mmCIF file of all heavy atoms in Angstrom:
data_model
loop_
_atom_site.group_PDB
_atom_site.id
_atom_site.type_symbol
_atom_site.label_atom_id
_atom_site.label_comp_id
_atom_site.label_asym_id
_atom_site.label_seq_id
_atom_site.Cartn_x
_atom_site.Cartn_y
_atom_site.Cartn_z
ATOM 1 N N GLY A 1482 -46.867 12.755 -28.253
ATOM 2 C CA GLY A 1482 -47.448 13.800 -29.102
ATOM 3 C C GLY A 1482 -48.354 14.760 -28.367
ATOM 4 O O GLY A 1482 -48.986 15.610 -28.998
ATOM 5 N N LYS A 1483 -48.453 14.624 -27.072
ATOM 6 C CA LYS A 1483 -49.334 15.520 -26.305
ATOM 7 C C LYS A 1483 -48.560 16.170 -25.158
ATOM 8 O O LYS A 1483 -47.493 15.696 -24.778
ATOM 9 C CB LYS A 1483 -50.500 14.711 -25.715
ATOM 10 C CG LYS A 1483 -51.495 14.278 -26.777
ATOM 11 C CD LYS A 1483 -52.755 13.771 -26.148
ATOM 12 C CE LYS A 1483 -53.784 13.464 -27.239
ATOM 13 N NZ LYS A 1483 -54.943 12.785 -26.716
ATOM 14 N N ALA A 1484 -49.132 17.235 -24.608
ATOM 15 C CA ALA A 1484 -48.509 17.905 -23.464
ATOM 16 C C ALA A 1484 -48.907 17.166 -22.184
ATOM 17 O O ALA A 1484 -50.056 16.754 -22.029
ATOM 18 C CB ALA A 1484 -48.958 19.349 -23.402
ATOM 19 N N SER A 1485 -47.927 16.988 -21.290
ATOM 20 C CA SER A 1485 -48.215 16.338 -20.003
ATOM 21 C C SER A 1485 -47.605 17.183 -18.893
ATOM 22 O O SER A 1485 -46.638 17.924 -19.114
ATOM 23 C CB SER A 1485 -47.602 14.939 -19.954
ATOM 24 O OG SER A 1485 -48.171 14.139 -20.943
ATOM 25 N N LEU A 1486 -48.140 17.010 -17.698
ATOM 26 C CA LEU A 1486 -47.687 17.808 -16.562
ATOM 27 C C LEU A 1486 -46.592 17.055 -15.796
ATOM 28 O O LEU A 1486 -46.717 15.857 -15.514
ATOM 29 C CB LEU A 1486 -48.869 18.100 -15.623
ATOM 30 C CG LEU A 1486 -48.528 19.038 -14.468
ATOM 31 C CD1 LEU A 1486 -48.365 20.473 -14.941
ATOM 32 C CD2 LEU A 1486 -49.582 18.945 -13.371
ATOM 33 N N PHE A 1487 -45.516 17.768 -15.463
ATOM 34 C CA PHE A 1487 -44.428 17.230 -14.635
ATOM 35 C C PHE A 1487 -44.112 18.262 -13.559
ATOM 36 O O PHE A 1487 -44.496 19.432 -13.686
ATOM 37 C CB PHE A 1487 -43.185 16.968 -15.487
ATOM 38 C CG PHE A 1487 -43.383 15.942 -16.563
ATOM 39 C CD1 PHE A 1487 -43.894 16.305 -17.810
ATOM 40 C CD2 PHE A 1487 -43.093 14.604 -16.329
ATOM 41 C CE1 PHE A 1487 -44.099 15.356 -18.794
ATOM 42 C CE2 PHE A 1487 -43.287 13.646 -17.319
ATOM 43 C CZ PHE A 1487 -43.793 14.028 -18.551
ATOM 44 N N SER A 1488 -43.398 17.819 -12.525
ATOM 45 C CA SER A 1488 -43.039 18.767 -11.473
ATOM 46 C C SER A 1488 -41.691 18.390 -10.862
ATOM 47 O O SER A 1488 -41.174 17.294 -11.117
ATOM 48 C CB SER A 1488 -44.122 18.778 -10.388
ATOM 49 O OG SER A 1488 -44.207 17.496 -9.795
ATOM 50 N N PHE A 1489 -41.124 19.303 -10.101
ATOM 51 C CA PHE A 1489 -39.879 18.996 -9.366
ATOM 52 C C PHE A 1489 -39.826 19.780 -8.071
ATOM 53 O O PHE A 1489 -40.495 20.811 -7.922
ATOM 54 C CB PHE A 1489 -38.632 19.270 -10.231
ATOM 55 C CG PHE A 1489 -38.493 20.666 -10.737
ATOM 56 C CD1 PHE A 1489 -37.904 21.665 -9.959
ATOM 57 C CD2 PHE A 1489 -38.945 21.011 -12.013
ATOM 58 C CE1 PHE A 1489 -37.757 22.958 -10.448
ATOM 59 C CE2 PHE A 1489 -38.795 22.297 -12.502
ATOM 60 C CZ PHE A 1489 -38.202 23.280 -11.719
ATOM 61 N N LYS A 1490 -39.006 19.234 -7.158
ATOM 62 C CA LYS A 1490 -38.849 19.915 -5.867
ATOM 63 C C LYS A 1490 -37.693 20.903 -5.968
ATOM 64 O O LYS A 1490 -36.672 20.606 -6.597
ATOM 65 C CB LYS A 1490 -38.581 18.886 -4.771
ATOM 66 C CG LYS A 1490 -39.812 18.023 -4.505
ATOM 67 C CD LYS A 1490 -39.593 17.066 -3.367
ATOM 68 C CE LYS A 1490 -40.904 16.334 -3.082
ATOM 69 N NZ LYS A 1490 -40.741 15.164 -2.231
ATOM 70 N N LYS A 1491 -37.868 22.061 -5.320
ATOM 71 C CA LYS A 1491 -36.851 23.119 -5.396
ATOM 72 C C LYS A 1491 -35.502 22.650 -4.859
ATOM 73 O O LYS A 1491 -34.443 23.066 -5.331
ATOM 74 C CB LYS A 1491 -37.321 24.344 -4.615
ATOM 75 C CG LYS A 1491 -38.450 25.097 -5.294
ATOM 76 C CD LYS A 1491 -38.869 26.244 -4.409
ATOM 77 C CE LYS A 1491 -40.068 26.968 -4.978
ATOM 78 N NZ LYS A 1491 -40.527 28.029 -4.064
ATOM 79 N N GLU A 1492 -35.540 21.783 -3.848
ATOM 80 C CA GLU A 1492 -34.283 21.333 -3.221
ATOM 81 C C GLU A 1492 -33.452 20.445 -4.162
ATOM 82 O O GLU A 1492 -32.285 20.155 -3.873
ATOM 83 C CB GLU A 1492 -34.600 20.583 -1.932
ATOM 84 C CG GLU A 1492 -35.301 19.263 -2.185
ATOM 85 C CD GLU A 1492 -36.134 18.805 -1.003
ATOM 86 O OE1 GLU A 1492 -36.601 19.664 -0.256
ATOM 87 O OE2 GLU A 1492 -36.319 17.590 -0.850
ATOM 88 N N ARG A 1493 -34.055 19.984 -5.270
ATOM 89 C CA ARG A 1493 -33.331 19.126 -6.226
ATOM 90 C C ARG A 1493 -32.637 19.944 -7.327
ATOM 91 O O ARG A 1493 -31.940 19.397 -8.167
ATOM 92 C CB ARG A 1493 -34.318 18.159 -6.907
ATOM 93 C CG ARG A 1493 -34.946 17.152 -5.979
ATOM 94 C CD ARG A 1493 -33.900 16.173 -5.479
ATOM 95 N NE ARG A 1493 -34.520 14.998 -4.872
ATOM 96 C CZ ARG A 1493 -33.824 14.017 -4.310
ATOM 97 N NH1 ARG A 1493 -32.512 14.095 -4.263
ATOM 98 N NH2 ARG A 1493 -34.437 12.992 -3.778
ATOM 99 N N VAL A 1494 -32.859 21.212 -7.303
ATOM 100 C CA VAL A 1494 -32.389 22.060 -8.398
ATOM 101 C C VAL A 1494 -30.911 22.443 -8.217
ATOM 102 O O VAL A 1494 -30.423 22.577 -7.098
ATOM 103 C CB VAL A 1494 -33.282 23.326 -8.442
ATOM 104 C CG1 VAL A 1494 -32.590 24.470 -9.159
ATOM 105 C CG2 VAL A 1494 -34.602 23.009 -9.119
ATOM 106 N N HIS A 1495 -30.190 22.574 -9.337
ATOM 107 C CA HIS A 1495 -28.813 23.094 -9.331
ATOM 108 C C HIS A 1495 -28.800 24.379 -10.149
ATOM 109 O O HIS A 1495 -29.547 24.495 -11.119
ATOM 110 C CB HIS A 1495 -27.856 22.085 -9.967
ATOM 111 C CG HIS A 1495 -27.831 20.770 -9.260
ATOM 112 N ND1 HIS A 1495 -26.884 20.431 -8.334
ATOM 113 C CD2 HIS A 1495 -28.682 19.704 -9.332
ATOM 114 C CE1 HIS A 1495 -27.121 19.215 -7.875
ATOM 115 N NE2 HIS A 1495 -28.217 18.747 -8.462
ATOM 116 N N LEU A 1496 -27.968 25.315 -9.756
ATOM 117 C CA LEU A 1496 -27.871 26.582 -10.485
ATOM 118 C C LEU A 1496 -26.429 26.815 -10.922
ATOM 119 O O LEU A 1496 -25.488 26.556 -10.151
ATOM 120 C CB LEU A 1496 -28.279 27.739 -9.575
ATOM 121 C CG LEU A 1496 -29.738 28.180 -9.572
ATOM 122 C CD1 LEU A 1496 -29.882 29.427 -8.712
ATOM 123 C CD2 LEU A 1496 -30.263 28.445 -10.977
ATOM 124 N N PHE A 1497 -26.258 27.310 -12.148
ATOM 125 C CA PHE A 1497 -24.906 27.568 -12.669
ATOM 126 C C PHE A 1497 -24.844 28.962 -13.280
ATOM 127 O O PHE A 1497 -25.765 29.370 -14.005
ATOM 128 C CB PHE A 1497 -24.536 26.521 -13.725
ATOM 129 C CG PHE A 1497 -24.621 25.118 -13.204
ATOM 130 C CD1 PHE A 1497 -25.758 24.342 -13.448
ATOM 131 C CD2 PHE A 1497 -23.617 24.575 -12.423
ATOM 132 C CE1 PHE A 1497 -25.867 23.054 -12.944
ATOM 133 C CE2 PHE A 1497 -23.713 23.289 -11.914
ATOM 134 C CZ PHE A 1497 -24.844 22.520 -12.175
ATOM 135 N N ASP A 1498 -23.754 29.676 -12.988
ATOM 136 C CA ASP A 1498 -23.626 31.030 -13.531
ATOM 137 C C ASP A 1498 -23.043 30.995 -14.950
ATOM 138 O O ASP A 1498 -22.822 29.908 -15.508
ATOM 139 C CB ASP A 1498 -22.790 31.911 -12.591
ATOM 140 C CG ASP A 1498 -21.351 31.420 -12.460
ATOM 141 O OD1 ASP A 1498 -20.920 30.626 -13.316
ATOM 142 O OD2 ASP A 1498 -20.661 31.818 -11.498
ATOM 143 N N GLU A 1499 -22.773 32.207 -15.500
ATOM 144 C CA GLU A 1499 -22.284 32.284 -16.890
ATOM 145 C C GLU A 1499 -20.944 31.566 -17.055
ATOM 146 O O GLU A 1499 -20.600 31.117 -18.142
ATOM 147 C CB GLU A 1499 -22.078 33.750 -17.323
ATOM 148 C CG GLU A 1499 -23.313 34.608 -17.297
ATOM 149 C CD GLU A 1499 -23.401 35.424 -16.017
ATOM 150 O OE1 GLU A 1499 -23.023 34.896 -14.942
ATOM 151 O OE2 GLU A 1499 -23.858 36.567 -16.074
ATOM 152 N N ASN A 1500 -20.152 31.460 -15.975
ATOM 153 C CA ASN A 1500 -18.860 30.760 -16.039
ATOM 154 C C ASN A 1500 -18.991 29.275 -15.727
ATOM 155 O O ASN A 1500 -17.990 28.598 -15.462
ATOM 156 C CB ASN A 1500 -17.873 31.394 -15.055
ATOM 157 C CG ASN A 1500 -17.649 32.853 -15.376
ATOM 158 O OD1 ASN A 1500 -17.558 33.216 -16.548
ATOM 159 N ND2 ASN A 1500 -17.619 33.693 -14.347
ATOM 160 N N GLU A 1501 -20.217 28.794 -15.734
ATOM 161 C CA GLU A 1501 -20.533 27.377 -15.517
ATOM 162 C C GLU A 1501 -20.229 26.922 -14.086
ATOM 163 O O GLU A 1501 -20.181 25.721 -13.811
ATOM 164 C CB GLU A 1501 -19.799 26.477 -16.522
ATOM 165 C CG GLU A 1501 -20.145 26.789 -17.970
ATOM 166 C CD GLU A 1501 -19.664 25.731 -18.950
ATOM 167 O OE1 GLU A 1501 -18.872 24.868 -18.517
ATOM 168 O OE2 GLU A 1501 -20.093 25.758 -20.102
ATOM 169 N N GLN A 1502 -19.989 27.875 -13.164
ATOM 170 C CA GLN A 1502 -19.712 27.488 -11.776
ATOM 171 C C GLN A 1502 -21.028 27.371 -11.006
ATOM 172 O O GLN A 1502 -21.988 28.105 -11.271
ATOM 173 C CB GLN A 1502 -18.816 28.537 -11.094
ATOM 174 C CG GLN A 1502 -17.436 28.662 -11.725
ATOM 175 C CD GLN A 1502 -16.714 27.326 -11.810
ATOM 176 O OE1 GLN A 1502 -16.524 26.651 -10.799
ATOM 177 N NE2 GLN A 1502 -16.334 26.922 -13.021
ATOM 178 N N ALA A 1503 -21.071 26.423 -10.051
ATOM 179 C CA ALA A 1503 -22.313 26.183 -9.309
ATOM 180 C C ALA A 1503 -22.579 27.301 -8.297
ATOM 181 O O ALA A 1503 -21.640 27.859 -7.706
ATOM 182 C CB ALA A 1503 -22.219 24.846 -8.584
ATOM 183 N N ILE A 1504 -23.848 27.634 -8.135
ATOM 184 C CA ILE A 1504 -24.289 28.580 -7.102
ATOM 185 C C ILE A 1504 -24.964 27.739 -6.027
ATOM 186 O O ILE A 1504 -25.809 26.881 -6.346
ATOM 187 C CB ILE A 1504 -25.288 29.598 -7.695
ATOM 188 C CG1 ILE A 1504 -24.584 30.428 -8.795
ATOM 189 C CG2 ILE A 1504 -25.885 30.493 -6.621
ATOM 190 C CD1 ILE A 1504 -25.543 31.168 -9.691
ATOM 191 N N ALA A 1505 -24.565 27.949 -4.774
ATOM 192 C CA ALA A 1505 -25.074 27.090 -3.693
ATOM 193 C C ALA A 1505 -26.590 27.231 -3.539
ATOM 194 O O ALA A 1505 -27.116 28.337 -3.432
ATOM 195 C CB ALA A 1505 -24.383 27.459 -2.389
ATOM 196 N N VAL A 1506 -27.262 26.069 -3.569
ATOM 197 C CA VAL A 1506 -28.718 26.028 -3.364
ATOM 198 C C VAL A 1506 -28.961 25.232 -2.091
ATOM 199 O O VAL A 1506 -28.364 24.167 -1.898
ATOM 200 C CB VAL A 1506 -29.435 25.337 -4.550
ATOM 201 C CG1 VAL A 1506 -30.945 25.260 -4.305
ATOM 202 C CG2 VAL A 1506 -29.151 26.070 -5.851
ATOM 203 N N GLU A 1507 -29.811 25.784 -1.218
ATOM 204 C CA GLU A 1507 -30.074 25.065 0.037
ATOM 205 C C GLU A 1507 -30.885 23.813 -0.260
ATOM 206 O O GLU A 1507 -31.870 23.846 -0.988
ATOM 207 C CB GLU A 1507 -30.867 25.960 0.990
ATOM 208 C CG GLU A 1507 -30.979 25.360 2.385
ATOM 209 C CD GLU A 1507 -31.842 26.222 3.284
ATOM 210 O OE1 GLU A 1507 -31.462 27.393 3.507
ATOM 211 O OE2 GLU A 1507 -32.889 25.711 3.712
ATOM 212 N N ARG A 1508 -30.416 22.693 0.253
ATOM 213 C CA ARG A 1508 -31.143 21.434 0.001
ATOM 214 C C ARG A 1508 -31.196 20.616 1.277
ATOM 215 O O ARG A 1508 -30.294 20.675 2.113
ATOM 216 C CB ARG A 1508 -30.512 20.656 -1.145
ATOM 217 C CG ARG A 1508 -29.029 20.396 -1.011
ATOM 218 C CD ARG A 1508 -28.443 19.812 -2.277
ATOM 219 N NE ARG A 1508 -27.937 20.836 -3.186
ATOM 220 C CZ ARG A 1508 -28.440 21.098 -4.369
ATOM 221 N NH1 ARG A 1508 -29.476 20.422 -4.814
ATOM 222 N NH2 ARG A 1508 -27.916 22.031 -5.122
#
Side-chain angles (χ1 to χ4, degrees):
Chain A
K1483 288 193 175 171
S1485 298
L1486 185 73
F1487 298 86
S1488 62
F1489 58 85
K1490 291 184 175 166
K1491 288 178 185 176
E1492 68 205 28
R1493 294 292 195 183
V1494 159
H1495 300 263
L1496 268 186
F1497 303 98
D1498 64 17
E1499 299 97 322
N1500 300 320
E1501 300 192 349
Q1502 296 306 304
I1504 297 164
V1506 178
E1507 189 184 299
R1508 53 189 91 246

